[in-house]
Amino acid sequence: MKKSILLLLCITFSLSALGQEPMEKITITGKVIDAATSNPIEFATISFKKDSTLLGTTTNKKGNFTIDILPDNYLIKAEFISFDPYIIKNKNVTESIDLGTIVLFYNTETLNEVEIKGQQRLTEFQIDKKIYRSSQDVSNNGGNGLDVLNNTPSVTVDQDGNVNMRGASATLLIDGKPLFGLGNGSDVLSAMPSNNIDRVEIITRSAKYSAEGGGGILNIITKKRKGQGFSGSFDIHGGIPDNNGGSIFLNKSTDHVNLFSTLSFNNEKKILHTDIDQTYFDTSENVLGFFEQKRLDENQRNSFLFTIGSDFYLNNKNSLTVSLLYNNHNKDYNSDLSLDDFDSEKIIKQSTKRNVNDRDDITKLEGLFNYTNKLNNKGEKLSFDFKYSSTISDNTADILENTFIPNLENNQQIVLKDQDLNDYLFQLDYTLPFTEDKILELGYKSTLRFYKNNYNVSELNANSSNYETISGFTDLVNYDEKVHALFAQYTATHGSFSYALGLRSEYSDVSIGTKTSNKNTKNYTDFFPSASFGYEFENESYLSLNYSRSINRPEIYQVNPFISLIDERYQSVGNPYLDPYYTNFLELLYDMSFEKLLITLSLYATYAEKQFLTVLQSAGQNAEGLETFKRLPINSGNKLSVGVDLDITYTPFKGLRFNTYVSPYREETTKALDEDYNISNTVWYAEASALITLNNGLRFGVQHYYQSPMINGLAKYKTVSFTNFTVSTSLLKKKGMLTFKVIDAFKTKAFTTRTLEANSNTLRSLRLNQQFSLAFTYQFKQNGKSKKDRSKEVKKDELEDKQDLKM
């Protein structure tokens, strides 16, 4: 009887179990973006925790995620390194839902922990740009904006502050707006502390931003965060040669106002050694004589930078941004030159010492106004920008020349140069999303530049003891440049396929003239198409094809006819008749991500006609009958470059990261000044770095740079190879960091060139002194209680309010 009852119970429970279907999983989807930029965040972690059970996934390149889970109550968390986590407690999930757009806010306190966690990459790829997270690279600690750009992959900065990508000049933007100022804008970047820069966007080309710069666009994004209460950072640094200073960055946010400010001061000194050995010939290639020059430049500069600005959130749809920048540079450049001339038998003809003390006081004042109206919650937006910049330069150079052979003679000159530059920007942008994956952007932009240069060169009259103006060396240069642009760009995503099509039209009105010459005026209209196509594979690898056309307009110094007299034997002069040239760019890019390995491979080609070519021409003989030369930019030569960019990041285990960037390219230049400057050359450029992070927070970094020999027309460039070291450690509960850097650790950084120009054979070598620096950086934050700060715990019922979560 007992056996029968037991059997009956077993059958009953079995039938009951068979009658219960297994619980089906539900699907949770969503998207994670950066609060400050509205850009998607790749590799953000989404976790669902129930008791001891933990499920999770990561976002893809578009910030999207999908995960299948069983219905239950969960603690939901979205997080990413250096951002505050987004947390929903005790959420009862019973059916498949879309969490909508999750917004993560930046947290400065976690910045120093970035290198310790996982395989966090310093670069991120999107359909039209590559992002370098400079704030997470310890090699930038204690540096400035130029140092950040020099550490940016595929970017080089020469000793004059010129920024290039793939052998061509790059267009510089700050927060999407053009960088105004004299020259190439290096003064502002050298005064901008590196801890004020969040990241650098490397934009191949887009109709939305700019048509200038054959190498591409570098958009420097500064730190300006909302939704985090009171935060900031400061640093102090010192170095040998002099590189002493400090900076402080502050950010205060409330529900309706975000206030930000930067204050920095720096005193730096760069020491440059230049050696020139020259043999010059007559037209029959007989040796006429020899020339030797040794030059020492000690360039001392004091810089002061102050910025203050505020975002005003008038309501959920309207906001205003105003900012003010003041920048002052006090330069004291001292050059000592030893010049020795010899005849064809190597017998000395003349020996001269020349000293040039070049002092320049540059003051820049800049104001920015932005109004943005979010027309609806679907992403339709209208914004207007106005930017004004005034730059004044008061330059005086005292030149003293002492001749010892054949006779003892003295000569003194004063060069006065007053420059005045006013820049204006007017910009209107409109964004119309047809759907979340189909967006049309339209815009208008005008940039106006008005430049004046009043210069005078005078010489001491020994008889009257008065300085008298040298004939032909005084004038007033006026340069006006007005560029008006219209653009349209359409971006769409269809599953794994995405594309962006753009067209930009620009009308340029340029004129240059002096009091003693007729005005040269140029008017032209151009069209600049751009296109990007991308496909994301199931393994999250990414393939894209990009095309663009761009324009390279000459800089002011390239068209300014004023002659630089620091080196009388090698004068530099601008060409007011220099025309812009155009570049076509094509790139195929493939990005692969593995557990410990990140690889990006890019194949590219650029083609330009009548590019800028700087040539050395004979300027005749001076009063002593010695050969002089001038450097002059001209339009000449068609240039084709075909190359490869390979970027590899390998993290074998926690605390060790290797990165390699290799960029070999083939350069062919034809029809360059009677074929004399034609180029057929293969160049290898490479950067390699390693970073070791110990459990105690101590980090060791090494970077090595290499550039193979180059043949550039009549010039041959020798190999450039040097190594930098970085040691850093975390302090004060990881809020502070102490960093020691050595630039050119083995004293191998030299630039050596041999040229065959203007009936001369010239060997020129330049070398900067080795640099040491020590910097202390401190990050701080006090959380506010902003209602808009959704990086903290949120209520359960806020989950369904997707419109409120969207930016």
Side-chain angles (χ1 to χ4, degrees):
M1 182 66 178
K2 291 182 178 179
K3 290 183 178 179
S4 298
I5 295 174
L6 181 61
L7 178 61
L8 182 60
L9 289 173
C10 289
I11 293 173
T12 301
F13 282 118
S14 298
L15 291 174
S16 176
L18 289 173
Q20 292 180 358
E21 296 183 1
M23 188 177 296
E24 294 185 358
K25 289 186 175 182
I26 59 177
T27 301
I28 309 298
T29 60
K31 183 175 184 178
V32 180
I33 66 171
D34 182 341
T37 65
S38 296
N39 289 331
I41 299 178
E42 183 184 7
F43 297 128
T45 301
I46 314 299
S47 61
F48 294 79
K49 186 176 182 181
K50 171 63 177 176
D51 299 328
S52 60
T53 301
L54 181 64
L55 302 173
T57 185
T58 59
T59 56
N60 61 18
K61 290 180 180 295
K62 300 171 187 175
N64 297 321
F65 67 88
T66 300
I67 187 172
D68 295 329
I69 62 174
L70 293 172
D72 212 327
N73 287 330
Y74 289 97
L75 170 70
I76 304 175
K77 181 185 291 186
E79 55 188 334
F80 187 66
I81 297 170
S82 77
F83 286 77
D84 285 326
Y86 174 101
I87 301 172
I88 304 173
K89 287 185 177 181
N90 195 28
K91 175 61 182 176
N92 185 19
V93 185
T94 59
E95 60 183 357
S96 297
I97 59 172
D98 180 4
L99 296 182
T101 302
I102 296 174
V103 182
L104 296 187
F105 291 88
Y106 187 80
N107 185 337
T108 57
E109 285 188 338
T110 62
L111 177 63
N112 293 329
E113 302 176 27
V114 168
E115 297 294 347
I116 302 176
K117 297 184 180 180
Q119 68 161 33
Q120 169 66 13
R121 61 194 300 176
L122 292 178
T123 56
E124 172 190 340
F125 292 86
Q126 297 180 8
I127 186 171
D128 60 347
K129 59 189 164 187
K130 177 168 65 175
I131 298 174
Y132 166 59
R133 302 181 183 280
S134 61
S135 60
Q136 299 171 7
D137 191 343
V138 295
S139 62
N140 291 318
N141 289 348
N144 57 40
L146 288 178
D147 297 324
V148 170
L149 291 181
N150 217 14
N151 290 329
T152 302
S154 73
V155 178
T156 59
V157 182
D158 64 21
Q159 63 270 14
D160 296 321
N162 298 308
V163 182
N164 296 291
M165 295 171 58
R166 294 166 174 164
S169 62
T171 297
L172 301 180
L173 307 176
I174 294 182
D175 294 325
K177 306 301 182 296
L179 179 62
F180 291 143
L182 291 169
N184 48 30
S186 60
D187 285 340
V188 174
L189 292 176
S190 66
M192 179 180 292
S194 59
N195 70 337
N196 194 31
I197 298 175
D198 181 45
R199 63 191 183 277
V200 179
E201 296 179 344
I202 306 164
I203 303 170
T204 301
R205 180 60 55 197
S206 171
K208 176 181 177 180
Y209 294 96
S210 174
E212 291 194 58
I217 302 171
L218 295 174
N219 187 19
I220 301 168
I221 306 297
T222 59
K223 290 180 180 178
K224 186 185 68 172
R225 300 286 179 175
K226 60 184 179 181
Q228 59 177 16
F230 179 68
S231 63
S233 63
F234 73 84
D235 85 272
I236 55 173
H237 57 270
I240 302 174
D242 293 345
N243 185 16
N244 312 311
S247 67
I248 184 168
F249 166 71
L250 301 173
N251 199 124
K252 171 66 176 177
S253 287
T254 66
D255 285 347
H256 302 291
V257 179
N258 179 59
L259 181 66
F260 51 91
S261 181
T262 300
L263 179 67
S264 73
F265 172 78
N266 196 60
N267 164 255
E268 66 173 346
K269 185 176 186 178
K270 290 188 176 181
I271 301 176
L272 176 66
H273 304 265
T274 305
D275 294 329
I276 296 177
D277 290 310
Q278 182 184 56
T279 304
Y280 48 92
F281 311 87
D282 61 18
T283 54
S284 301
E285 297 188 358
N286 298 312
V287 174
L288 292 177
F290 303 88
F291 171 68
E292 294 180 1
Q293 174 182 297
K294 293 187 180 298
R295 175 172 171 174
L296 174 64
D297 290 285
E298 294 181 311
N299 297 338
Q300 186 86 27
R301 173 165 54 186
N302 297 323
S303 62
F304 175 80
L305 176 73
F306 174 69
T307 65
I308 188 168
S310 185
D311 302 311
F312 299 96
Y313 308 111
L314 306 180
N315 51 45
N316 291 333
K317 294 184 177 181
N318 295 276
S319 64
L320 289 175
T321 298
V322 292
S323 66
L324 181 68
L325 177 147
Y326 174 80
N327 181 214
N328 178 260
H329 282 270
N330 185 266
K331 301 179 181 179
D332 189 356
Y333 289 3
N334 192 77
S335 303
D336 285 312
L337 296 85
S338 297
L339 306 96
D340 294 317
D341 287 273
F342 304 86
D343 62 18
S344 59
E345 302 297 326
K346 266 287 188 175
I347 299 174
I348 193 164
K349 295 170 54 179
Q350 180 172 295
S351 181
T352 302
K353 300 289 186 183
R354 185 179 180 90
N355 175 265
V356 181
N357 184 236
D358 191 359
R359 302 177 303 280
D360 199 0
D361 188 31
I362 304 175
T363 301
K364 178 178 180 178
L365 187 65
E366 182 175 280
L368 172 68
F369 171 85
N370 167 270
Y371 168 71
T372 299
N373 183 352
K374 297 180 180 179
L375 300 173
N376 55 42
N377 292 324
K378 297 180 180 180
E380 188 176 3
K381 183 172 64 174
L382 180 68
S383 66
F384 170 73
D385 291 277
F386 171 72
K387 184 177 181 179
Y388 169 70
S389 175
S390 173
T391 307
I392 298 174
S393 169
D394 184 8
N395 179 236
T396 302
D398 292 318
I399 302 173
L400 174 61
E401 187 173 273
N402 295 315
T403 302
F404 302 95
I405 297 175
N407 300 308
L408 185 62
E409 294 181 4
N410 295 324
N411 185 33
Q412 291 179 258
Q413 295 176 338
I414 293 180
V415 181
L416 301 176
K417 184 168 59 175
D418 294 328
Q419 300 179 85
D420 188 357
L421 175 64
N422 290 281
D423 293 281
Y424 298 85
L425 166 71
F426 302 89
Q427 185 169 330
L428 188 66
D429 292 284
Y430 173 65
T431 301
L432 175 62
F434 299 107
T435 66
E436 183 178 350
D437 297 324
K438 297 178 181 179
I439 300 174
L440 176 65
E441 296 175 278
L442 304 172
Y444 166 80
K445 177 180 175 182
S446 285
T447 53
L448 314 176
R449 309 188 75 188
F450 304 98
Y451 169 79
K452 292 182 180 180
N453 177 17
N454 191 1
Y455 68 90
N456 179 277
V457 182
S458 58
E459 189 172 78
L460 181 65
N461 186 320
N463 296 323
S464 65
S465 298
N466 294 323
Y467 282 92
E468 300 175 355
T469 298
I470 302 176
S471 177
F473 282 85
T474 182
D475 214 330
L476 174 63
V477 180
N478 286 280
Y479 177 79
D480 296 343
E481 180 183 278
K482 306 168 188 175
V483 180
H484 307 281
L486 291 170
F487 82 85
Q489 180 164 287
Y490 179 73
T491 305
T493 301
H494 300 277
S496 298
F497 176 70
S498 58
Y499 62 91
L501 303 175
L503 180 63
R504 189 180 187 91
S505 174
E506 292 191 350
Y507 171 74
S508 303
D509 181 4
V510 180
S511 66
I512 184 171
T514 69
K515 291 191 300 183
T516 59
S517 66
N518 294 327
K519 180 178 290 187
N520 180 25
T521 301
K522 300 174 185 177
N523 301 293
Y524 47 91
T525 301
D526 294 300
F527 293 92
F528 303 95
S530 65
S532 296
F533 304 92
Y535 186 82
E536 184 174 1
F537 297 91
E538 291 184 359
N539 61 358
E540 294 191 355
S541 60
Y542 188 72
L543 179 68
S544 68
L545 178 66
N546 307 293
Y547 166 78
S548 63
R549 182 175 186 260
S550 62
I551 184 173
N552 288 74
R553 293 185 178 87
E555 296 286 347
I556 291 176
Y557 72 90
Q558 293 177 304
V559 296
N560 190 345
F562 175 74
I563 297 175
S564 172
L565 292 178
I566 293 178
D567 185 346
E568 186 223 5
R569 305 294 290 276
Y570 287 91
Q571 304 167 358
S572 296
V573 58
N575 179 5
Y577 299 99
L578 195 65
D579 292 322
Y581 72 90
Y582 303 89
T583 300
N584 288 282
F585 176 82
L586 184 66
E587 177 190 48
L588 180 65
L589 183 144
Y590 185 53
D591 181 34
M592 297 162 279
S593 300
F594 304 95
E595 182 180 357
K596 298 181 179 181
L597 186 65
L598 305 168
I599 301 175
T600 300
L601 176 65
S602 169
L603 308 177
Y604 69 89
T606 65
Y607 179 72
E609 294 185 349
K610 296 184 178 180
Q611 62 171 340
F612 299 151
L613 178 66
T614 300
V615 298
L616 188 71
Q617 298 179 347
S618 174
Q621 296 182 339
N622 62 10
E624 290 76 27
L626 302 174
E627 295 295 325
T628 61
F629 302 88
K630 66 178 180 180
R631 295 187 184 90
L632 176 74
I634 63 172
N635 291 105
S636 183
N638 302 332
K639 180 178 177 181
L640 172 66
S641 296
V642 179
V644 176
D645 277 354
L646 178 62
D647 197 330
I648 302 175
T649 300
Y650 176 54
T651 310
F653 52 83
K654 177 181 176 180
L656 179 62
R657 188 190 72 206
F658 298 99
N659 180 258
T660 301
Y661 172 76
V662 182
S663 180
Y665 62 91
R666 179 72 179 178
E667 185 176 277
E668 300 279 349
T669 299
T670 58
K671 299 180 181 180
L673 194 64
D674 301 325
E675 312 294 330
D676 289 339
Y677 287 83
N678 284 357
I679 299 171
S680 182
N681 188 37
T682 300
V683 180
W684 284 80
Y685 178 81
E687 301 176 15
S689 66
L691 181 65
I692 301 173
T693 303
L694 304 181
N695 290 332
N696 60 3
L698 191 63
R699 303 172 193 176
F700 300 91
V702 58
Q703 297 171 301
H704 184 75
Y705 299 83
Y706 171 83
Q707 181 174 288
S708 67
M710 298 191 329
I711 300 175
N712 186 354
L714 301 178
K716 296 181 179 180
Y717 299 85
K718 290 189 176 182
T719 299
V720 178
S721 178
F722 62 95
T723 305
N724 302 335
F725 287 106
T726 304
V727 180
S728 66
T729 184
S730 299
L731 302 171
L732 304 175
K733 298 181 180 180
K734 296 183 179 180
K735 294 182 180 180
M737 181 175 290
L738 189 66
T739 305
F740 176 71
K741 291 191 293 187
V742 181
I743 307 297
D744 190 18
F746 304 113
K747 297 184 179 180
T748 58
K749 187 177 182 180
F751 304 90
T752 303
T753 311
R754 182 176 292 279
T755 60
L756 300 171
E757 301 176 279
N759 294 326
S760 65
N761 184 333
T762 306
L763 178 66
R764 179 180 285 103
S765 176
L766 294 84
R767 181 175 59 84
L768 280 165
N769 269 23
Q770 190 179 36
Q771 295 172 282
F772 302 87
S773 67
L774 182 66
F776 173 73
T777 304
Y778 183 79
Q779 312 270 354
F780 57 90
K781 175 181 177 182
Q782 296 177 2
N783 290 327
K785 297 181 179 180
S786 171
K787 297 177 183 178
K788 295 183 180 181
D789 187 353
R790 305 198 181 279
S791 60
K792 305 304 176 185
E793 180 180 344
V794 297
K795 298 178 181 179
K796 290 185 295 180
D797 58 358
E798 288 181 339
L799 180 59
E800 283 73 31
D801 189 5
K802 299 174 185 177
Q803 296 299 337
D804 189 44
L805 288 173
K806 291 182 179 180
M807 295 299 291

